[in-house]
């Protein structure tokens, strides 16, 4: 268990340092593979009991995949931008294409970990064998004893069978492992084709050139980095001023004293400004000039969320 926690913490540290979508997806997949391997070794124990095998086997594949999917949705910034957008402005400014694009982006990013978990589980085969061993037809096995067939077959994943049934256990295990791995490879192929088609569609429908799209990605990354860093400093200085006003003094270290002297904070941003830079943003242009984010749009003094006579909306969402 300690190894599982340590691996997940290492994975999370890499995750939060990642800025590229492909790196992000790769880290998610690698973290999921490691977690699934540890889960199979530490936590997976087939009950080898009729009616329980099926539920346990499917739960071992489906429940972690569902949990990973929900975590992916929660960690996606687009999710909370959408919540803020619906809360503050509603979805009246969204076209059907924009809404589909947004949900597709959220679902696609959140599906990386659960699909990886499902694929690894199917390729390993333990959960599939546990779930379906009792459903193998006894008639498909040559000279298999028909008495209590379901109970005997349910014990095959645990290898707890009489010596005279060992050859049947090996055959059932081999057959089910083949089916499980076949489904795993098919899932990999389907996902690969979908990713290829999605990437082609994205680049074909993108209103931006390749270089401008790369610039937009760099801008978003730098804006987010600088905004978080500045917000951290701003909030620390504001907190220092309020603490000093309450106690009459504030205990600052050398670095914090330099920050207070270098960056005087006069007040806080009003709620309308926070609302203006919060929410879903779809690439727009105003009078032919690109607006790369809600903060960029606010800084340029462009009002409204939808297309205007002077502006042009292009349905292209950041990855």
């Amino acid at each position: 268990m300690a190894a599982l926690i340590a691996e997940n913490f290492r994975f999370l540290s890499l995750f939060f340092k990642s800025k590229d979508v492909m790196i992000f997806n790769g880290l998610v997949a690698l973290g999921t593979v490691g977690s699934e391997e540890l889960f199979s070794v530490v936590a997976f124990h087939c009950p080898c009991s009729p009616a329980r095998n099926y539920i346990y086997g499917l739960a071992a594949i489906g429940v972690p995949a569902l949990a990973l999917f929900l975590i992916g949705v929660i960690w996606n910034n687009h999710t909370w931008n959408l919540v803020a957008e619906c809360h503050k402005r509603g979805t009246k400014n969204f076209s059907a294409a924009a809404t589909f694009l947004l949900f597709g982006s959220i679902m696609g990013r959140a599906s990386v970990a659960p699909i990886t978990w499902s694929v690894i589980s199917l390729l390993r085969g333990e959960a599939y064998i546990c779930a379906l061993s009792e459903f193998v037809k006894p008639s498909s096995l040559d000279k298999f004893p028909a008495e209590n067939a379901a109970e005997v077959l349910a014990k095959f994943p645990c290898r707890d069978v009489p010596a005279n049934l060992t050859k049947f256990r090996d055959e059932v295990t081999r057959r089910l492992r083949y089916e499980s791995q076949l489904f795993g490879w098919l899932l990999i192929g389907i996902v690969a084709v979908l990713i290829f088609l999605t990437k082609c569609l994205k680049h074909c429908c993108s209103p931006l050139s390749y270089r401008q799209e790369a610039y937009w990605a760099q801008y978003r990354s730098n804006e987010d980095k600088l905004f978080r860093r500045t917000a951290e400093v701003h909030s620390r200085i504001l907190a220092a001023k309020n603490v000093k006003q309450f106690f009459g003094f504030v205990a600052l270290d050398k670095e914090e004293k330099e920050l207070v002297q270098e960056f005087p904070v006069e007040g806080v941003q009003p709620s309308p400004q926070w609302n203006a830079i919060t929410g879903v943003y779809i690439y727009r242009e105003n009078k032919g000039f690109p607006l790369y984010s809600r903060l960029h749009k606010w800084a340029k003094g462009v009002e409204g969320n939808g297309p205007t006579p002077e502006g042009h909306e292009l349905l292209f969402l950041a990855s």
Side-chain angles (χ1 to χ4, degrees):
M1 187 58 66
L4 174 62
I5 295 174
E7 178 163 339
N8 282 330
F9 269 108
R10 287 195 297 270
F11 162 65
L12 287 176
S13 67
L14 289 173
F15 165 82
F16 285 112
K17 292 177 183 178
S18 172
K19 298 180 291 185
D20 186 82
V21 174
M22 296 303 295
I23 296 177
F24 165 85
N25 291 338
L27 290 175
V28 171
L30 289 176
T32 305
V33 170
S35 299
E36 203 281 337
E37 290 290 334
L38 289 174
F39 170 81
S40 298
V41 174
V42 176
F44 183 83
H45 300 288
C46 185
C48 294
S49 175
R52 295 180 181 176
N53 284 13
Y54 182 70
I55 297 175
Y56 185 82
L58 291 184
I61 298 176
V63 173
L66 176 61
L68 290 170
F69 177 78
L70 294 178
I71 292 173
V73 172
I74 292 171
W75 277 355
N76 195 324
N77 290 333
H78 287 325
T79 302
W80 306 114
N81 284 333
L82 178 62
V83 172
E85 187 75 23
C86 294
H87 177 67
K88 297 297 182 182
R89 290 175 281 269
T91 57
K92 59 184 179 180
N93 295 315
F94 279 170
S95 63
T99 303
F100 175 79
L101 192 63
L102 178 61
F103 276 103
S105 174
I106 294 174
M107 297 299 106
R109 291 283 293 274
S111 297
V112 174
I115 289 177
T116 303
W117 179 279
S118 300
V119 166
I120 298 301
S121 297
L122 290 171
L123 292 180
R124 288 181 61 88
E126 282 86 351
Y128 187 89
I129 293 172
C130 177
L132 297 180
S133 62
E134 64 182 285
F135 297 104
V136 175
K137 294 182 179 180
S139 59
S140 65
L141 302 172
D142 186 30
K143 297 181 181 180
F144 184 81
E147 295 182 0
N148 301 322
E151 295 182 6
V152 175
L153 289 168
K155 295 182 182 296
F156 280 5
C158 296
R159 303 178 181 273
D160 184 18
V161 295
N164 63 322
L165 297 179
T166 301
K167 65 175 184 178
F168 297 112
R169 174 180 57 78
D170 293 341
E171 182 177 350
V172 169
T173 301
R174 184 169 56 252
R175 184 186 303 178
L176 293 178
R177 192 180 301 277
Y178 155 76
E179 293 178 1
S180 179
Q181 293 183 349
L182 177 62
F183 289 141
W185 290 120
L186 287 175
L187 182 57
I188 290 176
I190 292 171
V191 171
V193 171
L194 288 177
I195 292 175
F196 172 75
L197 294 177
T198 301
K199 295 291 290 184
C200 291
L201 183 63
K202 174 187 175 182
H203 286 289
C204 289
C205 298
S206 172
L208 307 180
S209 66
Y210 173 77
R211 291 188 179 276
Q212 188 178 8
E213 187 175 338
Y215 177 86
W216 186 25
Q218 292 174 345
Y219 173 85
R220 292 196 315 271
S221 175
N222 289 324
E223 182 189 82
D224 183 68
K225 184 193 305 180
L226 292 173
F227 188 92
R228 291 177 182 274
R229 189 189 305 166
T230 305
E232 195 277 332
V233 173
H234 186 280
S235 62
R236 186 186 303 183
I237 296 173
L238 181 62
K241 290 181 62 176
N242 293 335
V243 170
K244 182 177 181 180
Q245 185 173 357
F246 184 83
F247 287 105
F249 74 97
V250 58
L252 301 175
D253 58 27
K254 182 179 179 180
E255 180 184 354
E256 290 171 335
K257 288 179 181 179
E258 294 176 352
L259 288 176
V260 171
Q261 294 175 355
E262 185 176 359
F263 305 110
V265 174
E266 301 298 333
V268 297
Q269 286 67 32
S271 293
Q273 287 188 9
W274 287 103
N275 294 336
I277 66 170
T278 303
V280 177
Y281 185 76
I282 297 175
Y283 178 81
R284 290 180 172 85
E285 293 181 357
N286 182 264
K287 298 180 179 180
F289 291 94
L291 300 173
Y292 290 119
S293 69
R294 281 196 170 276
L295 181 60
H296 188 190
K297 182 179 177 181
W298 172 84
K300 291 296 183 180
V302 179
E303 300 293 336
N305 192 42
T308 64
E310 296 82 14
H312 179 58
E313 179 182 8
L314 297 174
L315 299 179
F316 188 62
L317 186 70
S319 299

